[in-house]
């Protein structure tokens, strides 16, 4: 029964994430390609409620489904999965050890830091070279430092604050 509930909750939260991601298509993006992914909230909530595997699965499902609706050549979805999958994985591993508000806050801080570093590396070595293969490395690095890095820090903080405000109210519903 526990496995069935896990699968059902992951599926429900994945569906919510897909809908939120599709709705985000109408919101202007920072630098033309970055947006605060409110579609990550179901993955974060799933991570806190059911563990890091649930969060990573939600991120994976959300991005695989989104591939059917996009023209990014899967680069955007790969970036989304790598960066946001890292966020929920780090958060989940820390929170799983001791489920308190203090541990959650520490998990959010660590997840934001690791996610930001992961985004820097993924954008430098993979995303920007795929999107802009002829761009000089110094231009790519400048874009990462001026746009990607501050954006991911702000995104981590915003998602953390929203989750901290809503998770306790949603937790009983998710956990049953």
């Amino acid at each position: 029964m526990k496995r069935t509930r896990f699968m059902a909750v992951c599926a429900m939260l994945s569906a919510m994430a897909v809908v939120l991601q599709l709705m985000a298509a109408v919101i202007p993006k920072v630098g033309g390609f970055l947006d605060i992914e409110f579609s990550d909230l179901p993955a974060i909530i799933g991570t806190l409620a059911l563990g890091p595997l649930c969060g990573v699965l939600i991120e994976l499902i959300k991005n695989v489904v989104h591939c059917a609706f996009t023209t990014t050549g899967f680069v955007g979805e790969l970036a989304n999965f790598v960066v946001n999958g890292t966020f929920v994985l780090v958060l989940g591993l820390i929170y799983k050890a001791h489920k308190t508000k203090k541990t959650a806050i520490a998990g959010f801080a660590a997840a934001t830091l690791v996610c930001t570093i992961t985004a820097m590396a993924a954008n430098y070595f993979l995303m920007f070279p795929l999107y802009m293969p002829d761009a000089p490395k110094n231009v790519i690095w400048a874009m990462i430092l001026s746009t990607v890095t501050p954006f991911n820090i702000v995104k981590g903080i915003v998602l953390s604050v929203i989750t901290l405000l809503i998770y306790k109210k949603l937790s009983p519903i998710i956990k049953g």
Side-chain angles (χ1 to χ4, degrees):
M1 186 68 166
K2 194 173 185 180
R3 183 177 175 162
T4 303
R5 181 165 187 75
F6 177 88
M7 290 176 16
V9 171
C10 282
M12 177 193 65
L13 290 171
S14 295
M16 291 171 71
V18 168
V19 169
L20 288 169
Q21 190 175 40
L22 292 173
M23 288 172 44
V26 299
I27 298 171
K29 298 182 184 321
V30 176
F33 62 98
L34 298 170
D35 59 350
I36 293 182
E37 287 277 340
F38 293 109
S39 65
D40 292 326
L41 289 171
I44 294 168
I45 290 165
T47 297
L48 295 175
L50 300 175
L53 176 62
C54 180
V56 172
L57 285 173
I58 292 167
E59 288 292 344
L60 178 64
I61 292 165
K62 172 186 81 170
N63 284 293
V64 168
V65 171
H66 192 256
C67 287
F69 302 99
T70 186
T71 59
T72 69
F74 310 117
V75 177
E77 290 74 29
L78 178 61
N80 188 290
F81 177 70
V82 168
V83 173
N84 299 323
T86 299
F87 186 94
V88 296
L89 179 64
V90 170
L91 171 63
L93 291 173
I94 292 171
Y95 186 69
K96 184 178 171 183
H98 193 62
K99 295 183 177 187
T100 65
K101 188 172 184 176
K102 187 176 179 179
T103 306
I105 292 169
F108 280 120
T112 299
L113 177 64
V114 173
C115 160
T116 300
I117 293 167
T118 300
M120 291 171 74
N123 277 285
Y124 185 79
F125 293 110
L126 185 62
M127 306 326 163
F128 277 105
L130 287 172
Y131 272 123
M132 305 178 336
D134 299 326
K137 297 290 184 190
N138 63 327
V139 171
I140 291 172
W141 191 242
M143 288 179 70
I144 289 169
L145 290 177
S146 67
T147 307
V148 173
T149 301
F151 171 80
N152 278 293
I153 292 168
V154 170
K155 178 181 86 168
I157 293 168
V158 168
L159 292 174
S160 300
V161 168
I162 291 170
T163 304
L164 287 169
L165 292 173
I166 65 172
Y167 178 68
K168 280 296 180 192
K169 293 175 180 108
L170 296 174
S171 176
I173 298 166
I174 293 169
K175 291 181 181 179

